[in-house]
Amino acid sequence: MCGIAGFLGTNTTYSKQALKEMTSLLKHRGPDGEGFYFDDFVALGHRRLSIIDLEGGQQPITNEDGSVVTILNGEIYNYIELRQELLKKGHRFSTKTDTECLVHLYEEYGVDFLRFLRGMYALALWDKNLRKLVLARDRVGKKPLYYTVRNGVLIFASELKALKKYPIVDTSISLQSIWDYLTFGFIPSPNTVYKKICKLPPGHLLVYDGKGGVKIERYWHVKFTPKLSVSREEALEQLERSLEKAVCLRLRSDVPVASFLSGGIDSGLVTAIAAQNYPDRIKTFTIGFEDGDFDERNLARKVAERYSTDHHEFLVRPNLEDDLGKIVAAYDEPFADSSAVPSWYVAREAAKHVKVVLNGDGGDEAFCGYRRYLAAKFFSTISFSQSGLIKNTLNYIVDTMPEPTAARSLYGFFHRFLRGVALNEVERYLAWTGDKLNEADKSEMFLSNLVGSVNPSIRIVEDTLNELSISGEKIGFLDRMLWLDMRLILPDDLLVKMDIATMTHSLEARSPFLDHELFEFAIRLPLNIKLPGRTTKPLLRSLAKRYLPHEVVTAPKKGFEVPLARWLKSDLAGMVQDLLISTNAEIYDFLKHKAVVSYIQRTDIEPKRWAGVVWSLLWLELWLRQNKSL
């Protein structure tokens, strides 16, 4: 695991010092060393976190004659098998690292080499003969990659803070991205908070030769159809084999591997399989809160005891007034997922013991772990009239119902479900997934002269669904919701959260459920196997019965959440008062002071939604202040 940065431009004189300054800002991603490559056209920089081939894995790495150069952030888990095949084809290796496979695969297959990789990665590869730079990002978006083109120069880096260090980069803030952030709680790819800087989308490659424009293409196309013709028993056996393979590949390391253990099914399964296949006693890490509604330490402890792991528990009493600024700084742009806080703390503690941890990310998105999938299934089997009378009646019913006091209650689920019935597919998705502001809320809150300068955030969901039409896939509402989650929430929210939380503390996080072969198997499962009844992720629950204590399998889902509403009204009440109520707040360059204060003081909103909005405003204010001071 590492950090990468570089630039290419035939019409500029670049500075070696500029690249060193860029990579120095990535030292947390790679505290174990640095490396550089320069020629007349390109500059490549690398910070190393030593995981595989501790002595010989320094980057950049070249092929035999030095005509192909690469730098890698991530891991190629099937590097042993790739190496064996390449040796048979006559390639010579000078190291034992996974990164060296890239240059030899490129020699054999050109940019098509990406289809052979099984791992998480953001990479840059320079073809010296063709004077061509290739950037690529893994299929589901585990590793980040940012880029911009200025004055004919392509500049890229693993994090925005490094990219911004290059002197000519334009860091003008995007009003559209602020608008979208306040609906999603994150900024969807390919946009960033800056107008002229982009994220390379997951499963895409970028080619640039310094002359023409940037060429971007998708190299991984998700296929929901045809559905697999398997029985439930066959699906369960294949799931067990595939998950075990994915976990075992991620145990490959020349340093100790540990596991995050939340108390849920996904991390429990990963930990159980890892413990059975790891040669030593595996370490596990669990975080807890004093608020019992958000504390799963007891469940995690049961799994740790069953597999005799070297278990570590941390009770978090967050000092948010001191730490929140550090967390905001780590994420580089507005990011309102409150679970970034516990992720940051557990990563900080785990990094004191190990360099590599496994986690359960992706289990919910691949195997239908959210209750909204049950609602989506319902919509897949019946058709609602969209007449004005039906819509108006349903809206009236919802408007007259009291707001739920707990989002995870049965009433909370029913309220949210009913609210989506009268909406179209895109509006319904936002209603079911968001705890932030809708278009009407934002129009009320934004300065009037700015509202006409932005496009509705709903277009992002529409454009994502249109990708299915372009590909020719005709799938039901449930799969369409899974597609939206894997294209929006998974790469731009959940995986960003984990990547930044861990890499800030020089810790590598590996996600077996995001193995692309396992993921492809999951999304092609037929509905009657994937979600046959009224229980979320039934296939994983069946598998969990073989590995986990009964209490873990049957426990209600909590998610990696925090007592956010309580924090905002107690621990963070002073910060909210000082930063948001003040008329000098930076957000009032975009928002109306009266509207924001009115929202903060409201008591007629579901606490979870109220907290989500106030938290997003607080994070935005902290980020704007930090950005202004840079």
Side-chain angles (χ1 to χ4, degrees), residues 422-495:
L423 303 175
N424 64 38
E425 180 182 18
V426 176
E427 294 169 334
R428 188 183 302 134
Y429 179 77
L430 289 174
W432 285 352
T433 58
D435 293 311
K436 306 300 184 293
L437 297 171
N438 58 34
E439 296 299 304
D441 293 332
K442 289 185 294 185
S443 295
E444 177 66 27
M445 196 173 286
F446 262 68
L447 295 175
S448 301
N449 64 311
L450 299 181
V451 174
S453 304
V454 295
N455 296 311
S457 298
I458 200 169
R459 84 201 183 283
I460 293 173
V461 182
E462 293 171 338
D463 291 346
T464 305
L465 286 174
N466 286 338
E467 293 179 30
L468 290 173
S469 301
I470 295 172
S471 69
E473 286 234 63
K474 296 180 179 180
I475 59 178
F477 187 69
L478 173 60
D479 278 343
R480 288 165 71 84
M481 178 169 279
L482 288 166
W483 162 254
L484 289 170
D485 280 354
M486 68 172 291
R487 287 282 285 109
L488 295 173
I489 294 177
L490 188 60
D492 291 327
D493 180 356
L494 303 180
L495 299 185

Side-chain angles (χ1 to χ4, degrees), residues 342-453:
S343 298
W344 190 87
Y345 279 115
V346 73
R348 184 186 68 180
E349 297 304 320
K352 297 174 182 177
H353 303 267
V354 293
K355 283 186 174 183
V356 182
V357 289
L358 306 179
N359 63 63
D361 285 354
D364 286 322
E365 291 72 24
F367 291 96
C368 300
Y370 302 123
R371 291 193 299 179
R372 63 177 177 267
Y373 297 140
L374 296 173
K377 176 193 170 184
F378 183 72
F379 276 92
S380 297
T381 56
I382 68 170
S383 176
F384 275 100
S385 168
Q386 292 294 304
S387 72
L389 179 60
I390 293 292
K391 285 185 176 182
N392 292 337
T393 301
L394 289 170
N395 286 331
Y396 174 77
I397 292 173
V398 174
D399 288 343
T400 57
M401 294 171 64
E403 285 280 337
T405 57
R408 290 194 177 277
S409 66
L410 182 60
Y411 176 77
F413 172 73
F414 178 72
H415 187 276
R416 181 166 292 194
F417 171 79
L418 196 59
R419 190 173 65 195
V421 169
L423 303 175
N424 64 38
E425 180 182 18
V426 176
E427 294 169 334
R428 188 183 302 134
Y429 179 77
L430 289 174
W432 285 352
T433 58
D435 293 311
K436 306 300 184 293
L437 297 171
N438 58 34
E439 296 299 304
D441 293 332
K442 289 185 294 185
S443 295
E444 177 66 27
M445 196 173 286
F446 262 68
L447 295 175
S448 301
N449 64 311
L450 299 181
V451 174
S453 304

Side-chain angles (χ1 to χ4, degrees), residues 83-114:
R83 180 189 180 96
Q84 292 170 347
E85 291 299 315
L86 289 164
L87 286 170
K88 291 177 183 178
K89 292 179 179 292
H91 292 272
R92 301 190 307 276
F93 284 74
S94 59
T95 75
K96 296 179 181 179
T97 182
D98 57 331
T99 307
E100 191 173 1
C101 291
L102 302 179
V103 292
H104 300 299
L105 281 171
Y106 178 80
E107 286 182 292
E108 285 287 329
Y109 304 105
V111 294
D112 199 35
F113 79 98
L114 294 165

Side-chain angles (χ1 to χ4, degrees), residues 90-280:
H91 292 272
R92 301 190 307 276
F93 284 74
S94 59
T95 75
K96 296 179 181 179
T97 182
D98 57 331
T99 307
E100 191 173 1
C101 291
L102 302 179
V103 292
H104 300 299
L105 281 171
Y106 178 80
E107 286 182 292
E108 285 287 329
Y109 304 105
V111 294
D112 199 35
F113 79 98
L114 294 165
R115 67 185 176 91
F116 295 94
L117 305 183
R118 193 170 182 177
M120 57 175 180
Y121 48 85
L123 61 89
L125 185 144
W126 171 240
D127 186 325
K128 189 174 182 179
N129 294 333
L130 297 179
R131 295 180 183 174
K132 178 174 68 177
L133 181 69
V134 178
L135 305 180
R137 193 170 171 210
D138 66 72
R139 294 170 177 84
V140 295
K142 275 288 296 175
K143 305 316 298 174
L145 193 57
Y146 299 89
Y147 71 94
T148 188
V149 179
R150 294 288 292 165
N151 302 336
V153 182
L154 173 75
I155 310 112
F156 67 90
S158 295
E159 294 184 12
L160 284 168
K161 62 173 63 71
L163 187 68
K164 289 164 55 182
K165 194 66 177 178
Y166 194 85
I168 63 173
V169 171
D170 186 341
T171 57
S172 302
I173 292 176
S174 167
L175 177 62
Q176 182 67 59
S177 291
I178 300 295
W179 180 272
D180 294 336
Y181 159 77
L182 289 173
T183 284
F184 292 98
F186 56 86
I187 299 172
S189 300
N191 298 324
T192 73
V193 73
Y194 302 110
K195 292 179 184 178
K196 302 297 184 179
I197 302 177
C198 297
K199 306 178 184 98
L200 183 64
H204 283 66
L205 64 90
L206 180 156
V207 178
Y208 188 67
D209 60 9
K211 299 177 182 178
V214 168
K215 297 177 182 178
I216 297 176
E217 62 182 83
R218 176 181 292 166
Y219 69 87
W220 184 55
H221 297 269
V222 180
K223 295 295 183 182
F224 285 84
T225 57
K227 294 299 184 184
L228 299 173
S229 179
V230 293
S231 66
R232 188 179 187 281
E233 291 71 26
E234 291 170 334
L236 186 60
E237 295 305 317
Q238 184 171 341
L239 167 59
E240 184 171 27
R241 291 193 301 271
S242 297
L243 182 56
E244 182 175 15
K245 177 66 174 177
V247 171
C248 289
L249 281 173
R250 284 155 182 80
L251 291 175
R252 289 179 171 177
S253 172
D254 292 335
V255 297
V257 177
S259 184
F260 284 154
L261 185 57
S262 69
I265 287 175
D266 302 342
S267 66
L269 276 170
V270 168
T271 298
I273 294 172
Q276 291 179 334
N277 289 276
Y278 195 60
D280 301 314

Side-chain angles (χ1 to χ4, degrees), residues 161 318-335 340-341 344-345 348 500 504-505 572 575 579 615 618-627 629-630:
K161 62 173 63 71
N319 184 4
L320 288 175
E321 291 205 356
D322 289 338
D323 293 335
L324 187 53
K326 300 174 187 175
I327 298 172
V328 170
Y331 280 83
D332 278 347
E333 61 180 345
F335 183 78
V341 174
W344 190 87
Y345 279 115
R348 184 186 68 180
I500 296 297
T504 295
H505 299 98
L572 293 174
M575 185 177 288
L579 298 186
W615 177 258
L618 180 61
W619 189 296
L620 178 60
E621 175 63 21
L622 286 167
W623 181 86
L624 287 168
R625 290 180 179 227
Q626 291 181 358
N627 187 68
S629 66
L630 295 178

Side-chain angles (χ1 to χ4, degrees), residues 534-577:
R534 293 178 293 178
T535 304
T536 55
K537 52 184 176 190
L539 207 60
L540 279 187
R541 290 184 189 278
S542 294
L543 182 60
K545 291 177 182 178
R546 302 180 181 182
Y547 289 90
L548 303 179
H550 175 76
E551 299 92 329
V552 175
V553 178
T554 58
K557 181 178 178 61
K558 290 187 177 181
F560 204 36
E561 297 184 0
V562 296
L564 187 58
R566 181 175 64 77
W567 284 358
L568 288 168
K569 293 179 179 180
S570 57
D571 305 59
L572 293 174
M575 185 177 288
V576 170
Q577 180 70 32

Side-chain angles (χ1 to χ4, degrees), residues 403-404 599 602-611:
E403 285 280 337
Y599 194 97
R602 287 180 66 177
T603 58
D604 60 333
I605 309 173
E606 174 191 340
K608 186 174 186 292
R609 184 166 185 263
W610 175 88

